[in-house]
């Protein structure tokens, strides 16, 4: 018989239970609690404590890639800074002196553009303002946003030397940047030349590849015919070479036509066409065979025939006339045919219009043939056909003043004028439009043009004496091989970019930046190389900042008394900001006076034990990673980093780019206000940052729920540990099996988490801890041990062992979690270990004895838990059918036909493990109606109600209830616990 209704208790037994007791709240309240922890960290100077404690350890320096100080942070910035902080904190727990100095990029177009926007709103022009005044406004603007961003980064929980960040506009930084530039000048790597560069007409400056983004753009297209003037005979003399271009405005700059030896060409004749066609019946054209049909279709030719092959050797000897020759003055020059590697027969005509002032490949094929062209009497000078305002110059005869783009970035009248001239000249074959991907300035969002401009370059392929005769490209490529890339595919990406990049354009025609601090001998291209002059420049910048360059009209303060200023031109261009940020290693990692906390770094390649990491988004392979590599390789012969880690971009839940117009922007400020920074930190750490990350309201809710489960596990441990008495620990050999199993798991996790943190695999850390805390602890160990912890006598060895294990587990989990959940781990740590100045972030990973590992025990308990899954599955069915309320009302029979599984559960109190009042193990398959799980063969469960009375204290159902006459409504175990409790209370009352 079973009486599962407990008799009315003779006393309030709840007061005798060791229930969890903690002030650690179930509801996190992170938006309120996190700022209080930030105040504590500031008051206790936690950053300085960490530095003092870590002194003397191997250094791990995560050198910050500087964000622009020009607006509030966005979700991508939050991802970047949180990931950096997780890695820095993790390296600290691994035993490194992991110092993080945040930095800001304060020069350049993004900030200058903001000030110009303010001017335009007030009807002012930058040109009407003294340059020093304009620069001061830029400095003030940058300083304001630096402070705003600093507060936002700190709110994310990012630790670092926030009181002493590096700032590229500080005087020492500007002096250091100038010194780096002058080093390139002294070694002969810096030169002034001209090249086609991407140019923003709106912003009136050259742009680096990292400053453009590719957007859809509709371009005018033309097919134009070139007449042979020399080298042609027979039917080729009357043929025309046809080119196709999406930039008709570049035709005045045409100086050659490129072909390819790899392409099959033919001579074609028009046999049928409308009278109004530009391509007339009888006209013959040389075209790539694979493209002929598409060319004639574009020209609305109704019929054509192929006459014969045209060999590459025939093309090589041809000289052509410009399509405007004889119709517009100024174009009566020879146009050679040049073999080009870039020519294909995938689109166009198989021939490429070559304007060396308007394209990289055009420039390269023209200059590569320069000597041979000069020998043929062909002028090799590259004309400047477009000015800074996007207008065609006098070097584009017949089109001077025509606009490629206007000041708003809109299409001007140049294309129309050129097309009209070609029609009049009778050399236009066809025209149309094409929608394609085209580079736009990422600031103004307007298309850029390619124009030949005088610029300053750092040569990639010049042998350099200070680099042991190697070129900058050689040194950079070797340095890439010596660097660890995370993920590994980053190596291939930057290797291809550096291997194929042109010379580095380092000049910009702007006002807000570090000037190119060189003087050029008038009438020559000779750069003055004088260490004394350089020293005077650096000293002035150190004291006054880069403004010193602009306050001295002719450079006399730097040149005199050694040189006559009248004989030298003072360069007024400023440095590309990528050179600024690429130089940051020089004034952050190499300046012990400004950053003493980073002094003495001795990298592994130098025989030391220190490591320098760079970490940014994957777009920085062409940006900061590359500019830093080139700058350091050119001045020091090596990369400035040992490890480069890249992360993806943040997209919405559908994988779309975020934009205000789509309404899918997630602002980190809003997430923090609603949910707390730790939710964002958990999202970052748990994501596969090597790929693009996704975020939206539902994703945030998912991580909030994961966080809730982790927090509840921590809270339960804290509540249970309120009853833990240090000094009552039990030796490993005397621990119950279940406690030894948890120790084994802690030992396993210790190695796995160390390895994951060391390899920057934060998602694995989160996965390991989430699986352990929700699966091994909350759903298993805590569940099983609640009865022992709440109801066993205070002196119970099993209860003491469980509390000991929970104490060991809590300590490890909070330290393991601290890099990720910086606020929550601190809150839990201080609840357990109250202190005026203590912090979980002062801890390193605790050593876990190897003796805790027990593979045989773990294998056995894996089998036990498989059998337990079948039992809990059967009980859930009984609970759903309302045949039982709690599992303690059950006493199932478990049939085990599998010998290994049956042997595993022998000797274990399986009723305790399954949280039932009794259980019976039977050898065999069990009846057909028994409950089974498909993936646990050989186990069947038949449910039944437990026999006996229900204990009024622990709610176990057993015939033993009432065995102790002093405690008639409880089990003997509970009677012992009550007797101890009463004795302890009596002693307390007597005292």
């Amino acid at each position: 018989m079973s009486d599962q209704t407990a008799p009315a208790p003779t006393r309030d037994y709840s007061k005798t239970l060791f229930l969890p007791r903690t002030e650690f709240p179930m509801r996190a309240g992170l938006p309120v609690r996190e700022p209080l922890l930030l105040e504590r960290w500031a008051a206790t100077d936690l950053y300085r404590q960490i530095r003092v404690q870590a002194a003397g350890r191997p250094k791990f320096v995560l050198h910050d890639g500087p964000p622009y100080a020009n607006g509030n942070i966005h979700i991508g910035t939050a991802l970047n800074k949180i990931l950096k902080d997780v890695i820095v904190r993790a390296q600290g727990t691994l035993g490194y002196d992991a110092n993080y100095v945040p930095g800001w990029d304060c020069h350049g177009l993004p900030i200058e553009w903001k000030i110009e926007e303010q001017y335009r709103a007030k009807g002012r022009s930058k040109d009407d303002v003294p340059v020093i005044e304009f620069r001061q406004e830029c400095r003030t603007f940058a300083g304001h946003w630096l402070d705003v961003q600093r507060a936002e980064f700190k709110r994310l929980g990012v630790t670092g030397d926030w009181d002493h960040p590096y700032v590229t506009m500080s005087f020492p930084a500007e002096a250091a940047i100038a010194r780096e530039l002058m080093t390139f000048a002294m070694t002969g790597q810096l030169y002034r030349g001209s090249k086609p560069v991407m140019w923003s007409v709106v912003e009136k400056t050259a742009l680096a590849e990292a400053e453009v983004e590719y957007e859809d753009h509709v371009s005018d297209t033309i097919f134009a015919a070139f007449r042979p003037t020399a080298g042609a005979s027979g039917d080729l003399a009357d043929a025309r070479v046809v080119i196709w271009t999406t930039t008709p405005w570049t035709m005045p700059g045409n100086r050659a036509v490129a072909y390819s030896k790899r392409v099959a060409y033919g001579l074609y004749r028009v046999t049928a066409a409308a009278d109004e066609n530009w391509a007339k019946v009888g006209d013959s054209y040389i075209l790539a065979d694979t493209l002929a049909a598409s060319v004639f279709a574009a020209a609305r030719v109704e019929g054509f025939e192929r006459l014969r092959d045209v060999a590459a050797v025939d093309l090589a000897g041809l000289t052509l006339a410009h399509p405007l020759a004889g119709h517009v003055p100024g174009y009566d020059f020879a146009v050679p045919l040049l073999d080009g590697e870039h020519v294909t027969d995938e689109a166009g005509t198989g021939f490429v219009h070559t304007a060396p002032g308007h394209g990289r490949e055009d420039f390269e094929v023209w200059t590569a043939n320069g000597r041979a062209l000069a020998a043929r009497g062909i002028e090799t000078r590259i004309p400047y056909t477009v000015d800074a305002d996007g207008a065609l110059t006098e070097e584009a005869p017949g089109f001077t003043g025509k606009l490629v783009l206007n000041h708003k970035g809109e299409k001007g009248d140049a294309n129309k004028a050129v097309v009209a001239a070609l029609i009049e000249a009778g050399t236009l074959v066809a025209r149309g439009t094409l929608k394609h991907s085209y580079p736009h300035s990422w600031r103004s969002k307007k298309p850029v043009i390619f124009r030949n401009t005088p610029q300053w370059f750092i040569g990639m392929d010049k042998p350099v004496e200070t680099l042991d005769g190697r070129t900058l490209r050689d040194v950079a490529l070797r340095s890439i091989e010596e660097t660890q890339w995370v993920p590994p595919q980053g190596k291939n990406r930057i290797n291809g970019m550096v291997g194929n990049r042109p010379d580095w354009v380092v000049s910009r025609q702007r006002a807000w930046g570090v000037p190119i601090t060189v003087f050029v001998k008038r009438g020559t291209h000779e750069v003055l190389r004088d260490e004394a002059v350089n020293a005077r420049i650096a000293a002035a910048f150190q004291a006054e900042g880069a403004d010193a360059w602009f306050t001295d009209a002719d450079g006399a303060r730097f040149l005199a008394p050694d040189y006559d200023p009248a004989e030298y031109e003072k360069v007024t261009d400023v440095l590309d900001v990528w050179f600024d940020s690429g130089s940051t290693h020089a004034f952050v990692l190499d300046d012990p006076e400004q950053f003493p906390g980073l002094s003495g770094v001795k990298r592994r390649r130098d025989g030391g034990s220190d490591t320098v990491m760079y970490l940014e988004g994957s777009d920085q392979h062409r940006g900061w990673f590359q500019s830093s590599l080139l700058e350091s390789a050119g001045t020091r012969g090596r990369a400035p980093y040992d490890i480069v880690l890249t992360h993806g971009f943040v997209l919405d839940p559908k994988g779309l780019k975020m934009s205000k117009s789509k309404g899918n922007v997630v602002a980190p400020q809003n997430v923090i206000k609603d949910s707390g920074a730790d939710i964002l930190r958990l999202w970052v750490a748990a994501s596969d940052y090597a790929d693009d990350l996704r975020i939206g309201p539902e994703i945030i809710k998912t991580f909030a729920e994961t966080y809730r489960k982790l927090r509840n596990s921590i809270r339960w441990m804290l509540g249970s540990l309120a009853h833990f008495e240090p000094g009552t620990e039990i030796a490993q050999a005397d621990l119950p099996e279940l406690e030894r199993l948890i120790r084994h798991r802690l030992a396993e996790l210790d190695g796995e988490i160390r390895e994951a943190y060391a390899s920057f695999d934060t998602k694995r850390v989160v996965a390991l801890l989430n699986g352990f805390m929700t699966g091994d602890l909350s759903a298993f160990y805590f569940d099983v041990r609640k009865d022992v912890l709440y109801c066993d006598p205070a002196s119970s060895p099993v209860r003491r062992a469980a509390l000991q294990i929970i104490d060991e587990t809590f300590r490890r989990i909070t330290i393991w979690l601290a890099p990720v959940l910086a606020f929550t781990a601190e809150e839990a740590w201080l609840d357990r270990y109250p202190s005026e100045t203590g912090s979980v972030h002062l801890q390193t990973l605790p050593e876990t004895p190897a003796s805790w590992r027990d593979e045989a025990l773990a294998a056995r308990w894996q089998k036990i838990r498989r059998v337990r899954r079948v039992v809990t599955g059967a009980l859930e069915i009984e609970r759903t059918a309302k045949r039982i309320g709690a599992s303690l009302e059950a006493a199932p029979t478990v049939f085990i036909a599998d010998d290994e599984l049956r042997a595993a559960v022998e000797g274990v109190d399986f009723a305790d493990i399954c949280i039932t009042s009794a259980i019976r193990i039977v050898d065999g398959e069990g009846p057909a109606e028994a409950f089974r799980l498909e993936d646990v063969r050989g186990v069947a469960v038949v449910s039944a109600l437990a026999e006996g009375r229900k204990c009024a204290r622990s709610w176990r159902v057993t015939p033993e209830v009432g065995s102790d006459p002093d405690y008639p409504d409880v089990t003997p175990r509970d009677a012992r616990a009550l007797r101890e409790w009463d004795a302890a209370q009596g002693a307390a009352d007597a005292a």
Side-chain angles (χ1 to χ4, degrees), residues 60-319:
F60 180 92
V61 179
L62 197 159
H63 181 43
D64 194 23
Y68 281 121
N70 68 333
N72 294 100
I73 69 170
H74 52 76
I75 193 66
T77 338
L79 157 67
N80 177 266
K81 279 295 191 286
I82 288 172
L83 182 57
K84 288 175 179 175
D85 189 60
V86 171
I87 286 176
V88 167
R89 291 183 187 272
Q91 294 299 313
T93 66
L94 288 170
Y96 288 93
D97 179 1
N99 193 359
Y100 174 68
V101 175
W104 274 272
D105 207 341
C106 299
H107 293 129
L109 196 54
I111 291 163
E112 191 166 343
W113 185 248
K114 292 287 186 180
I115 301 302
E116 291 190 43
E117 283 182 341
Q118 295 176 10
Y119 280 7
R120 285 192 289 272
K122 298 174 183 177
R124 302 176 68 195
S125 170
K126 181 186 77 171
D127 297 333
D128 299 333
V129 179
V131 66
I132 296 299
E133 180 182 331
F134 180 79
R135 286 172 59 85
Q136 184 54 52
E137 292 194 57
C138 291
R139 185 178 292 276
T140 301
F141 179 90
H144 164 74
W145 283 110
L146 187 156
D147 288 337
V148 170
Q149 290 185 4
R150 171 163 39 199
E152 291 178 324
F153 289 143
K154 290 168 76 172
R155 183 59 188 86
L156 293 171
V158 180
T159 187
D161 197 353
W162 294 110
D163 294 335
H164 305 95
Y166 79 80
V167 182
T168 58
M169 68 179 180
S170 71
F171 294 176
E174 291 182 332
I177 294 167
R179 278 193 292 266
E180 294 298 301
L181 185 277
M182 291 185 289
T183 298
F184 278 103
M186 292 297 293
T187 56
Q189 298 177 78
L190 180 73
Y191 70 93
R192 181 156 62 180
S194 73
K195 269 189 177 181
V197 297
M198 284 185 286
W199 183 269
S200 169
V201 172
V202 176
E203 296 146 311
K204 291 185 176 59
T205 191
L207 298 179
E209 181 67 29
E211 295 174 302
V212 300
E213 55 191 13
Y214 287 80
E215 303 289 348
D216 284 345
H217 179 72
V218 177
S219 294
D220 296 324
T221 63
I222 61 169
F223 293 84
F226 289 69
R227 173 177 55 85
T229 60
S233 60
D235 53 5
L236 289 186
D238 296 324
R240 300 291 183 267
V241 171
V242 182
I243 61 90
W244 173 75
T245 180
T246 59
T247 54
W249 60 268
T250 62
M251 287 302 295
N254 175 274
R255 292 299 182 271
V257 171
Y259 71 97
S260 174
K261 295 175 181 176
R262 302 183 307 277
V263 173
Y265 295 95
L267 178 63
Y268 292 82
R269 181 166 56 203
V270 177
T271 59
D275 291 341
E276 65 272 17
N277 260 27
W278 292 316
K280 307 293 185 182
V281 172
D283 287 349
S284 58
Y285 300 108
I286 305 171
L287 300 166
D289 288 332
T290 58
L291 296 169
S294 62
V295 172
F296 286 126
R300 293 182 298 177
V301 166
E302 297 166 1
F304 63 91
E305 60 181 342
R306 188 178 190 277
L307 301 177
R308 66 178 180 86
D309 293 344
V310 177
V313 67
D314 295 328
L315 296 174
L318 292 182
T319 299

Side-chain angles (χ1 to χ4, degrees), residues 376-543:
R376 291 168 60 182
I378 294 175
E379 172 61 57
T380 59
R381 177 184 171 275
I382 299 172
Y384 295 96
T385 54
V386 182
D387 67 16
D389 296 318
L392 293 174
T393 69
E394 293 179 356
E395 296 197 52
F399 306 99
T400 304
K402 299 298 183 183
L403 289 173
V404 180
L405 298 173
N406 65 20
H407 69 283
K408 294 181 180 180
E410 299 163 342
K411 184 165 68 174
D413 55 358
N415 276 354
K416 184 177 180 181
V418 170
V419 170
L422 291 170
I423 293 173
E424 186 176 342
T427 53
L428 190 69
V429 177
R431 69 179 176 182
T433 59
L434 176 70
K435 185 177 182 180
H436 61 140
S437 182
Y438 188 81
H440 289 61
S441 166
W442 70 274
R443 298 178 191 89
S444 67
K445 309 302 179 186
K446 299 299 181 182
V448 303
I449 62 174
F450 290 82
R451 64 179 285 259
N452 189 37
T453 60
Q455 298 289 347
W456 287 91
F457 299 85
I458 291 174
M460 292 295 298
D461 298 306
K462 178 182 179 180
V464 181
E465 184 178 346
T466 55
L467 300 180
D468 299 326
R470 293 169 298 166
T471 67
L472 175 55
R473 193 186 310 276
D474 291 338
V475 175
L477 291 172
R478 185 200 64 189
S479 297
I480 290 170
E481 294 295 325
E482 296 170 347
T483 300
Q484 178 186 348
W485 299 89
V486 182
Q489 55 264 36
K491 175 183 172 182
N492 292 334
R493 187 174 184 187
I494 194 169
N495 204 67
M497 290 178 174
V498 171
N500 296 315
R501 68 160 294 142
D503 287 353
W504 184 8
V505 184
V506 295
S507 51
R508 295 291 182 270
Q509 291 68 49
R510 305 301 295 178
W512 176 230
V514 177
I516 294 182
T517 49
V518 297
F519 295 90
V520 179
K521 184 79 169 177
R522 293 191 183 277
T524 73
H525 291 288
E526 182 184 343
V527 174
L528 176 63
R529 301 185 199 177
D530 189 305
E531 291 288 11
V533 173
N534 293 347
R536 287 195 284 269
I537 294 170
F541 280 28
Q542 190 83 23

Side-chain angles (χ1 to χ4, degrees), residues 917-936:
S917 288
I919 207 161
R920 189 164 66 100
I921 307 295
V922 177
D923 184 10
E925 291 287 348
E929 67 274 14
F931 177 83
R932 293 172 173 83
L933 289 178
E934 186 66 28
D935 62 335
V936 186

